[in-house]
Amino acid sequence: MSSLISADEISHEAELVWLEDVDQLDYVRQSLDRLPTRKGKPPYHRDGRMVGYAILGPEAKASRASGTFRRRVFWVLPHDRDSEPDGLYAKSAPAEAVDPRTLQPRVKGYKTERSEGGPPSRAMQELGIQLPL
């Protein structure tokens, strides 16, 4: 889903609120949810847990059709790497996952070697950088 999020869709973000220390998470899943407000903690109706969300600025307009706002929500599922380090995503990450250290308001974020659970690149090895960062 991260690749499906356009810069325009997140252009009114004012702040990202983290509910957990995301430095401890190799990746988070992100999605654009339709929510009734620009700010405040949104309801969460998935398995797993919400770890963060976006707050929109006052210039953000509600959808004419639904009256809702599209806001990013960040979450992890029970079978993600933080709960099952040797599980399904031990050496990969789900499609909608990004490294939380690459996220900022109005910035989509991206996957990194850390989020993918892979071995360090030759460049990282030459610089003496070891995972986790």
Side-chain angles (χ1 to χ4, degrees):
M1 289 184 201
S2 62
S3 60
L4 301 179
I5 295 175
S6 73
D8 186 53
E9 289 176 304
I10 60 175
S11 64
H12 298 297
E13 289 181 344
E15 182 182 350
L16 298 182
V17 175
W18 296 108
L19 304 172
E20 296 185 16
D21 179 4
V22 292
D23 286 337
Q24 304 305 311
L25 299 173
D26 293 343
Y27 63 81
V28 296
R29 297 170 186 254
Q30 70 174 342
S31 59
L32 274 173
D33 291 0
R34 291 206 173 274
L35 300 169
T37 62
R38 286 183 186 92
K39 56 186 177 178
K41 184 177 176 183
Y44 185 73
H45 304 290
R46 294 179 179 89
D47 287 343
R49 65 190 193 277
M50 178 171 43
V51 297
Y53 57 90
I55 292 177
L56 303 180
E59 71 283 357
K61 303 287 185 236
S63 163
R64 288 183 189 156
S66 67
T68 59
F69 298 89
R70 291 187 43 110
R71 288 171 51 196
R72 279 194 295 178
V73 175
F74 306 99
W75 43 286
V76 293
L77 290 176
H79 61 273
D80 281 334
R81 193 179 313 143
D82 70 302
S83 297
E84 292 187 16
D86 297 322
L88 177 64
Y89 294 112
K91 298 291 182 195
S92 65
E96 66 273 16
V98 293
D99 186 328
R101 292 157 212 73
T102 67
L103 291 166
Q104 304 228 356
R106 300 173 302 281
V107 175
K108 293 191 310 183
Y110 52 90
K111 290 184 177 179
T112 62
E113 289 172 344
R114 179 183 174 133
S115 67
E116 289 288 356
S121 67
R122 185 176 321 184
M124 286 182 68
Q125 292 171 352
E126 289 172 1
L127 291 171
I129 300 170
Q130 295 185 6
L131 297 175
L133 295 175

